[in-house]
Amino acid sequence: MNILVINCGSSSLKFQVIDTDTQKAIAKGLCERIGIDGAITYENLRNKTGKIKENTRIDDHKKAISLVLAALTDSKTGVIRSLSEIGAVGHRIVHGGENFTKSVLIDNDVINAIREVSELAPLHNPANLTGIEACRAMMPNTPMVAVFDTAFHQTMPPKAYMYAIPLNYYKDYKIRRYGFHGTSHKFVSTEVAKYLGKTPEELKTIVCHLGNGASVSAVQYGKCIDTSMGLTPLEGLIMGTRCGDLDPAVVDYIMGKTNMSAYEIDQMMNKDSGVYALSGNLSSDFRDLWKAREEGNKNAELALDAWAYRVAKYIGAYVAAMNGVDVICFTAGVGENDTKSRALIYQYLGYLGIEIDEEKNAKTRGEIAEISKPESKVKVFVFPTNEELAIAQETLALVQCPVKYKHTKKKAE
Ligand code: ADP
């Protein structure tokens, strides 16, 4: 089945068509600057004619979807003859709150339940909903599925997701840890188990999703029991431009010392912090940081060392949380490609009886590889994530076995 995967931002829309028989994308692209001026980039991956970019007015997401569907069915550049060849649409939704513990077939109840938790992701969920509405208008008879970044982490127990602040903040405002990148954590932990000829229920796995945004998760016997991101993606690791864990008193302290508002400090912690800040505003891209470090730049050295140290501390915490670990996976842009940053993390893992094949590590970029030695007590893998394929797989499963979503209001403890 061909599945259209949609990832809608407030002014952008990324798409892929995945053929679930081959598990490969046959077309992909991006609509940008929606509502500003507009541009569409489209690539037919079957005939490999390369990217086509066209600047064209895109007033809203509905127009963006109509351009995507026109490109996909175009007689010259298209990959399908008619829209009937798209069996279903999978939508990436950032926040499912406590309403969604798994992917669901979209109906009006689902749309209302996504809207209900939109306050938790005010920049993302409304954009995601716009994408759903636009697709429903253009393809009213095609089944659609919502796949949530938060759903996989809903198995976390209260001891992992509750913040130790007065309970009313949870009861009244649902302030708790949710976690993100769930589609990737689920995909990698499930696929690595398959690769090892096991089921996820047999393994304790730590997934390190290390991209520009980054998170670690502890997956015990197929269920996520903890993850490093919290109410928002700001908590946890040092990221490209996010600070990760921080004494919350820093916010009030900075407010007292400067004229910055809480909002401005939030923006600073999300957009001007992380390795970008520690490197002296050099770059958030790890390739630039390594180049500078090798040229003797001390700030770049600090940024990379602090980043790796934080990842290693989370791995240690999750070994404790699961009372052991069988497999550690590195994934996403940095985890898959940055051999040297991975090596910085390994320095801290010797106590686990981990032995790394350094040559193999240095050669491995963007492909599945077991980079620990056979005698290592814990297996260490580079395991590329594929969030679009994961969304397509979830969508296919729900189209084949439809289950209607039932909205149940979870009672706050
Ligand atoms: P996100 O999805 O959060 O934007 P990605 O998972 O795409 O992030 O990761 C992007 C980051 O991966 C880049 O900012 C860069 O730091 C890093 N990266 C990508 N390729 C390489 C590479 N070959 N070597 C080192 N770092 C890389």
Side-chain angles (χ1 to χ4, degrees):
M1 182 187 289
N2 290 324
I3 293 187
L4 174 61
V5 175
I6 298 284
N7 182 355
C8 239
S10 53
S11 66
S12 70
L13 184 156
K14 285 190 211 143
F15 64 94
Q16 279 195 12
V17 177
I18 296 196
D19 174 351
T20 53
D21 294 336
T22 59
Q23 310 249 314
K24 294 236 167 4
I26 56 173
K28 68 174 182 180
L30 165 73
C31 295
E32 294 169 275
R33 300 179 61 81
I34 300 171
I36 305 165
D37 38 31
I40 176 167
T41 310
Y42 171 81
E43 199 173 353
N44 177 329
L45 299 166
R46 263 198 188 139
N47 64 12
K48 302 211 165 62
T49 46
K51 276 188 196 165
I52 303 167
K53 183 163 181 180
E54 195 189 329
N55 293 323
T56 176
R57 216 180 147 70
I58 312 182
D59 285 333
D60 53 28
H61 286 79
K62 198 167 160 199
K63 175 72 185 172
I65 293 286
S66 72
L67 288 171
V68 170
L69 299 180
L72 292 173
T73 49
D74 184 88
S75 58
K76 285 204 199 88
T77 58
V79 283
I80 50 175
R81 270 157 301 172
S82 82
L83 290 185
S84 62
E85 290 178 40
I86 292 181
V89 183
H91 291 269
R92 177 201 176 203
I93 311 293
V94 167
H95 220 307
E98 291 185 331
N99 287 348
F100 298 99
T101 56
K102 49 175 95 124
S103 304
V104 290
L105 267 177
I106 295 175
D107 59 18
N108 289 338
D109 287 350
V110 167
I111 289 178
N112 289 335
I114 294 173
R115 196 167 285 127
E116 198 181 284
V117 296
S118 280
E119 264 184 334
L120 293 168
L123 294 179
H124 293 100
N125 274 29
N128 301 156
L129 281 169
T130 313
I132 293 177
E133 300 288 7
C135 280
R136 285 181 117 197
M138 301 296 297
M139 312 164 79
N141 299 318
T142 309
M144 309 217 177
V145 169
V147 181
F148 301 89
D149 279 15
T150 49
F152 183 57
H153 303 306
Q154 278 294 303
T155 46
M156 282 194 286
K159 67 183 174 189
Y161 71 67
M162 288 299 285
Y163 290 118
I165 56 176
L167 286 174
N168 64 297
Y169 294 106
Y170 171 61
K171 288 189 182 135
D172 298 342
Y173 307 116
K174 290 276 171 272
I175 294 176
R176 49 159 283 183
R177 307 184 60 256
Y178 290 96
F180 298 86
H181 295 139
T183 311
S184 175
H185 287 290
K186 180 178 178 188
F187 179 81
V188 171
S189 56
T190 309
E191 293 295 318
V192 78
K194 263 193 225 163
Y195 187 87
L196 289 167
K198 296 192 183 274
T199 63
E201 289 71 29
E202 291 173 271
L203 294 174
K204 294 176 181 175
T205 305
I206 294 176
V207 179
C208 304
H209 177 111
L210 307 175
N212 193 25
S215 62
V216 184
S217 66
V219 185
Q220 186 168 19
Y221 309 135
K223 289 199 167 121
C224 176
I225 60 139
D226 209 343
T227 191
S228 58
M229 283 177 167
L231 173 75
T232 77
L234 188 56
E235 191 178 332
L237 299 179
I238 295 176
M239 308 180 212
T241 62
R242 294 191 191 117
C243 60
D245 294 338
L246 183 85
D247 180 345
V250 166
V251 176
D252 183 58
Y253 197 81
I254 295 179
M255 286 174 82
K257 293 278 176 198
T258 69
N259 287 327
M260 288 169 80
S261 64
Y263 172 77
E264 285 168 332
I265 296 172
D266 183 75
Q267 292 292 299
M268 175 273 282
M269 293 190 300
N270 273 290
K271 300 202 166 130
D272 298 323
S273 296
V275 288
Y276 170 73
L278 284 178
S279 68
N281 297 359
L282 186 76
S283 177
S284 59
D285 192 303
F286 281 60
R287 288 162 285 202
D288 300 335
L289 296 176
W290 274 105
K291 186 166 176 290
R293 179 180 173 126
E294 282 161 2
E295 288 164 2
N297 184 312
K298 288 288 166 204
N299 289 333
E301 185 177 335
L302 168 66
L304 291 162
D305 286 347
W307 173 89
Y309 179 61
R310 183 80 56 89
V311 178
K313 286 209 296 185
Y314 266 96
I315 292 174
Y318 290 165
V319 173
M322 297 194 287
N323 195 13
V325 60
D326 301 307
V327 187
I328 299 176
C329 293
F330 291 98
T331 195
V334 181
E336 290 166 29
N337 298 299
D338 189 340
T339 60
K340 293 180 215 156
S341 291
R342 287 198 305 254
L344 285 183
I345 300 168
Y346 306 148
Q347 305 175 74
Y348 300 100
L349 305 182
Y351 74 101
L352 291 168
I354 288 178
E355 292 186 44
I356 297 290
D357 181 335
E358 281 165 30
E359 228 173 274
K360 203 158 182 196
N361 178 59
K363 282 200 304 229
T364 302
R365 284 194 182 84
E367 56 183 341
I368 300 175
E370 184 173 337
I371 47 176
S372 47
K373 292 182 179 165
E375 60 271 29
S376 178
K377 294 232 165 66
V378 178
K379 290 186 185 298
V380 179
F381 271 87
V382 169
F383 209 100
T385 190
N386 188 337
E387 285 166 287
E388 288 78 16
L389 175 60
I391 292 172
Q393 287 173 345
E394 301 259 325
T395 303
L396 178 69
L398 271 159
V399 171
Q400 287 175 337
C401 283
V403 187
K404 191 171 158 38
Y405 167 73
K406 273 202 216 90
H407 188 50
T408 45
K409 258 215 162 339
K410 190 175 161 185
K411 282 230 160 46
E413 279 111 82

